[in-house]
Amino acid sequence: MDQGAGAGAGPQRARGRLGAPSSGMRAPGTPWARFSAWLECVCVVTFDLELGQALELVYPSDFQLTDKEKSSICYLSFPDSHSGCLGDTQFSFRIRQCGGQRCPGHAGEKPGDRGAPASLQREPAHYFGYVYFRQVKDSSVKRGYFQKSLVLLSRLPFVRLFQALLGLVAPEFFDKLAPCLEAVCNEIDQWPAPAPGRTLSLPVMGVVLQVHIPSRADTPESGPLEPSGHETLLPAPVVLPSVHELDLFRCFRPVLAHVQLLWELMLLGEPLLVLAPSPAVSSEMVLALTSCLQPLKFCCDYRPYFTIHDSEFKEFTTRTQAPPNVVLGVTNPFFIKTLQHWPHILRVGEPKMSGDFPKQVKLKKPSRLKTLDTKPGPCSSSPGTQRQALGPGRGGQWGWHSRRGCPHPQSRARGSLPSPGLYTAYTAHLHRDKALLRRLLKGLQKKRPSDVQTAVLRRHLLELTQSFIIPLEHYMASLMPLQKGIVPWKTPPQIRPFRQDDFLQSLERSGPQLTCVLKGDWLGLYRRFFKSPHFDGWYRQRHREMTQKLEALHLEAICEANIEIWMKDKSEVEVVDLILKLRERLVRAQGHQLPVKEATLKRARLYIDTAIGSLPKDLQAVLCPP
């Protein structure tokens, strides 16, 4: 909470019994291998009056974090002082891994990612931080407040699961501290791997969490997870409906009237600043927005909670170039002034769960932000120094408070803030779906449960995304060479290039109007989509999959041909070249990078042995050393 207090010295590492340098992902069979399939490490961040935020301990104790990562974790594990978070608060953040990949296992697709939806695969270059922050009065502490955060660091975007886990572990940890944490980590180290498609029972602290790990084969019709196989267990398992899905309706209540406009902004990878009253609201809104595109993978950067102390603050706030493609969740009003040049800013208030249809934020012109009083007070300094916008100064205006003059934890900013609204000059390409709003309103009037309302909203967004993507998928499939053109002993034909004009012309007969009732400028939306990171990400993924399919079909064609007839008039060089190519394909297929049947793999091995047997003994020795 007291971020400004430690700004001068920077976050420090307290001398904890369990905290020491470490290494990344662990090989199977090594200590903490099962633990690292779920979590990278567990961190405890405390507030030290002299040092500011301090990393008290890291567990397992040999996990390695760079100084920059430690600093980011410390600052992001505490709410900004003006957030006024008393009691217990949960939120999340996402940080870039520093220093490149420290673990060979993250270089490609992890075994646990095979079969996982693209949006739920491990992050190779980022960490997710799931935070449980407690601030309560404590007369034994000099400032009168106990302030500490328990943080789970993972590469998995399983926000629902890890929030539930923190809800069980954190209250116990704050009472019993390190011994409790060590016991929990040992329990997690016994969990089965998060293999896609499996329903798992995860015991922790006397409770069994039952979860389903999503897979690409799952369908929306499969519905929420039901208890199975544990009806006789005492205590009964706690069934989580999802490991990653938030209560979308609750997150979007104040912006339901603009949910399609926001969906378009996400689809196009537009820069968006989300200013919220707390890290909890900020992180949930950002995660809800980035989940709008499922099953399409969100290919832009996003930060559920971001502060001025982040190592990428200058990168994201520079005015020397166009705003980056990032969704930024913040609570510090300083960003309103700093990022006035951003094209889209969403200001949301505290969530209200009344039975009536919530008051919707209004669309407002970005120019409205420039009239706000966000000038720093007389103690002003740049945000990179020891000062930070923390709370109201004299006369209720926003000021800059130095490290020693930061406000009391109970203080809360009520300065010159923009009213809730979506500040943008963007005009939606698609017409608003009024039927959706009427259905949600009717659900509120009938007191329909929030999870049912969420299912309605999620299905609408899913069908909208699918209607947009299906024409692209159909056109992409038409670029695949015909199977009859794939012959055994020739290089397989190439995938034809994606021509945007040809695709746009195809929309007249096979466009989104076939599956979606919404009217609007679909062509204009596709044209802007072609310039977005999401088109690039989608195209690269589909092209890679089609290339692998071509290689698999070519391997099958070779294995169905008669290799002995082919070898009769071939030189030794040509035979060796075939052997090397078959071996390379075999390695890729065994690594699940090519969709090939086991019978084809056996035949390929047999062909390799036959080809090697036809060569002179000296070449055989080279190709098959003892």
Side-chain angles (χ1 to χ4, degrees), residues 44-102:
V44 177
V45 181
T46 191
F47 182 78
D48 186 288
L49 190 58
E50 297 300 324
L51 302 176
Q53 288 91 325
L55 191 57
E56 187 174 289
L57 62 85
V58 177
Y59 201 82
S61 59
D62 64 342
F63 185 79
Q64 183 180 11
L65 290 167
T66 66
D67 289 341
K68 188 178 288 188
E69 289 165 349
K70 294 173 192 175
S71 175
S72 294
I73 291 169
C74 284
Y75 281 123
L76 292 169
S77 297
F78 274 42
D80 279 328
S81 290
H82 64 272
S83 295
C85 298
L86 283 172
D88 291 357
T89 304
Q90 286 199 60
F91 57 93
S92 58
F93 62 81
R94 180 174 178 265
I95 61 173
R96 188 181 296 169
Q97 177 180 296
C98 303
Q101 293 181 349
R102 296 190 290 273

Side-chain angles (χ1 to χ4, degrees), residues 21-38:
S22 72
S23 63
M25 201 74 168
R26 301 155 196 270
T30 61
W32 301 110
R34 288 191 172 190
F35 176 91
S36 66
W38 295 90

Side-chain angles (χ1 to χ4, degrees), residues 271-273 316-317 323-324 326-328 339-345 366:
L272 176 66
L273 177 70
F316 288 162
T317 58
V326 61
V327 183
L328 216 56
L339 301 181
Q340 277 187 5
H341 62 292
W342 276 36
H344 320 289
I345 296 178

